[in-house]
Amino acid sequence: MNLNKLMLQVEAKHPNEKEYLQAVREVLSTIEDVYNEHPEFEKAKIAERLVEPDRIFTFKVVWTDDRGEVQTNLGYRIQFNNIIGPYKGGLRFHPSVNPSILKFLGFEQIFKNALTTLPMGGAKGGSDFDPKGKSDSEVMRFCQAFMMELWRYIGPDTDVPAGDIGVGGREIGYLYGMYRKLARENTGVLTGKNLEFGGSLIRPEATGFGGLYFTKQMLETAGMDIKGKTIAISGFGNVAWGAALKATEMGAKVVTISGPDGYIYDENGIEGEKIDYMLELRATCNDIVSPYAEKFGAKFIAGKKPWEVKADIALPCATQNELNENDAKLLIANGVKCVAEISNMGCTPEAIEQFINNKIMYGPGKAVNAGGVATSGLEMTQNAMHISWTAEEVDAKLQQIMNDIHTACVKYGKQPDGYINYMKGANVAGFLKVAKAMLAQGIV
Ligand code: 2IT
């Protein structure tokens, strides 16, 4: 099968799902060589079978707000592929959530989870519920209503949801409480739980920490040291927080964070209590970053993204397509050396092309941010064994996993001129594992 032809078919079938098409296009365009080296893949129609989710659940979530008004939201769970393990992936609560966005995230999750070396399949879910401005009890009632619909489709060995944008420890707690009541079981059915009821140490930090372990490896492979480098980060949520924490610990200087309202430029470096403050800012549920500027006397640039500052390293930590071609050109003109996505699909295809054509190190989200779901996998292991590991034990495993992912990307992404195409490396390594598992298990 010509994968171009398959892409045209997928486009014709799902013309309005642009994020999903973008994610599929990226993978199909980078696996073509290995696909054609394995006629058995073609014979078993691996690519055709991989691009469509196993099933999609769509449900209505009805709840009552603090004024007593009845609210209706949409809920989804997309079980994409469970060939190597139970469906696994986060839940996103954000007004932009739609089937296209969840299908792109679920599709990416298959390869990301395959890269982690742990047995996890790919899934994603969420709702168009907007947590912004909602009270704690509204969030609780929404989560309970959401789980009343979802619980019958998930289970600790079937499908294990977790957090994503808009879903953190608080939401996971409310979701878990309702699941436990309905299913009458205490199991690791969700990850990202609080420590008191089966959560794992380091899970909150893991996406950011893993992203920095990967970035450090990328730099070292190119003969550079992360120490002393200037870093531009976008976002100010859990992922940006973990990234800033580890980056400063490694001796780099973080100069930006951002929100939907604009970005903060702190020339003195975002460190110590300023990083702690990010959590406080997030907990207000207003989704604005500007109060940081007033509190710490930094600059706030309204309505702009942080990619216009001079930085050695850029770490998108917010959402998909948050760094476009123009941003890439600005970063390159300002001497950026490495761009590593800790958000999912943070760069547009045009931005990626800029980085690759200019031989700038570029790490795709499915490799760079895999530490989050990998540590979810470690949480599942601890739950299944009814034990808990120390922070040091979890962190050591996370570092090992990120090292292994980096090695796999280099193995499949190294070009004849020595440039490492991490996007290709990650896609090929993830795809080969899934494809081989699909072949071994027959046509099911
Ligand atoms: O995008 C992601 O990998 C996540 N939101 C984490 C998923 C998980 O199951 O921990």
Side-chain angles (χ1 to χ4, degrees):
M1 172 87 170
N2 177 335
L3 292 181
N4 270 333
K5 204 170 134 207
L6 172 60
M7 192 62 226
L8 291 175
Q9 287 173 6
V10 180
E11 281 167 5
K13 217 181 278 184
H14 309 284
N16 301 317
E17 302 190 337
K18 66 179 170 58
E19 293 86 2
Y20 161 65
L21 294 175
Q22 181 184 338
V24 173
R25 195 175 293 119
E26 184 204 291
V27 170
L28 293 186
S29 67
T30 47
I31 62 166
E32 184 115 40
D33 302 350
V34 292
Y35 203 76
N36 293 330
E37 282 162 20
H38 291 268
E40 67 275 23
F41 291 167
E42 164 74 18
K43 191 158 180 286
K45 298 275 188 289
I46 298 291
E48 284 89 331
R49 288 159 62 200
L50 203 48
V51 296
E52 291 290 345
D54 289 349
R55 64 194 67 79
I56 302 180
F57 298 109
T58 307
F59 46 90
K60 185 176 66 181
V61 185
V62 182
W63 57 285
T64 308
D65 70 18
D66 286 347
R67 291 168 303 162
E69 251 179 66
V70 178
Q71 300 288 342
T72 305
N73 285 100
L74 290 173
Y76 307 92
R77 185 69 179 167
I78 301 190
Q79 297 182 336
F80 225 112
N81 184 298
N82 67 345
I83 203 78
I84 64 173
Y87 297 107
K88 181 84 195 88
L91 297 171
R92 176 176 292 192
F93 292 170
H94 192 271
S96 65
V97 161
N98 61 34
S100 171
I101 289 183
L102 296 181
K103 277 171 72 179
F104 116 64
L105 289 162
F107 183 71
E108 290 274 294
Q109 201 82 43
I110 305 170
F111 306 99
K112 184 197 304 193
N113 294 3
L115 286 170
T116 65
T117 70
L118 303 173
M120 297 184 290
K124 206 80 189 190
S127 172
D128 60 357
F129 172 77
D130 188 359
K132 189 173 165 181
K134 300 289 188 300
S135 72
D136 205 48
S137 29
E138 286 176 323
V139 169
M140 181 182 76
R141 287 195 295 278
F142 174 79
C143 288
Q144 292 176 336
F146 184 91
M147 187 51 86
M148 277 199 269
E149 287 299 324
L150 182 66
W151 78 280
R152 66 192 79 244
Y153 306 124
I154 61 175
D157 291 310
T158 311
D159 182 354
V160 183
D164 193 81
I165 293 170
V167 179
R170 175 181 62 165
E171 290 73 20
I172 293 293
Y174 294 146
L175 291 163
Y176 184 78
M178 184 51 84
Y179 179 88
R180 185 185 48 71
K181 197 175 171 77
L182 294 167
R184 297 183 299 126
E185 59 177 39
N186 260 297
T187 57
V189 70
L190 291 158
T191 58
K193 300 182 291 296
N194 282 1
L195 289 177
E196 297 79 13
F197 49 95
S200 175
L201 287 161
I202 306 291
R203 179 63 189 91
E205 294 88 347
T207 311
F209 278 21
L212 266 296
Y213 295 143
F214 195 93
T215 304
K216 187 167 182 273
Q217 288 270 327
M218 290 173 81
L219 290 167
E220 281 173 1
T221 307
M224 291 180 215
D225 192 350
I226 194 164
K227 201 166 168 205
K229 295 284 184 295
T230 300
I231 303 188
I233 286 181
S234 64
F236 70 107
N238 165 264
V239 173
W241 165 77
L245 213 55
K246 188 52 80 179
T248 50
E249 196 188 298
M250 288 175 168
K253 183 175 172 185
V254 177
V255 291
T256 68
I257 50 173
S258 71
D261 53 333
Y263 77 91
I264 299 288
Y265 180 70
D266 189 340
E267 60 183 357
N268 298 321
I270 300 169
E271 56 183 0
E273 57 157 348
K274 296 173 177 176
I275 298 178
D276 301 340
Y277 178 69
M278 285 163 70
L279 294 180
E280 232 176 90
L281 202 51
R282 177 58 61 185
T284 62
C285 287
N286 290 328
D287 210 16
I288 52 170
V289 76
S290 58
Y292 178 105
E294 292 135 45
K295 190 169 167 75
F296 297 112
K299 271 192 214 149
F300 172 65
I301 297 90
K304 291 285 191 79
K305 292 185 282 184
W307 315 128
E308 59 188 24
V309 308
K310 191 170 169 46
D312 302 308
I313 301 166
L315 302 177
C317 293
T319 193
Q320 69 274 355
N321 293 328
E322 52 169 319
L323 196 162
N324 63 26
E325 182 174 19
N326 214 28
D327 301 324
K329 286 181 178 163
L330 277 173
L331 283 168
I332 295 169
N334 276 321
V336 78
K337 295 171 184 69
C338 173
V339 181
E341 291 173 351
I342 315 191
S343 52
N344 287 310
M345 207 165 77
C347 298
T348 63
E350 297 78 23
I352 297 171
E353 205 179 306
Q354 286 291 325
F355 296 135
I356 293 181
N357 289 346
N358 286 283
K359 308 276 176 205
I360 306 286
M361 279 179 263
Y362 161 72
K366 63 170 76 71
V368 180
N369 74 31
V373 72
T375 308
S376 277
L378 300 176
E379 183 173 333
M380 288 166 71
T381 308
Q382 293 170 78
N383 292 163
M385 295 168 79
H386 302 281
I387 56 160
S388 53
W389 289 324
T390 63
E392 289 72 25
E393 284 173 298
V394 179
D395 196 34
K397 289 181 179 23
L398 171 62
Q399 290 192 45
Q400 181 63 49
I401 288 169
M402 296 315 296
N403 265 337
D404 292 347
I405 297 174
H406 186 270
T407 304
C409 289
V410 173
K411 178 172 175 194
Y412 294 105
K414 197 163 190 162
Q415 305 298 292
D417 66 357
Y419 176 73
I420 298 161
N421 184 333
Y422 284 91
M423 172 175 72
K424 180 172 185 185
N427 287 339
V428 171
F431 168 75
L432 279 176
K433 180 168 175 183
V434 174
K436 285 177 184 166
M438 286 172 77
L439 275 185
Q441 292 183 36
I443 309 300
V444 282

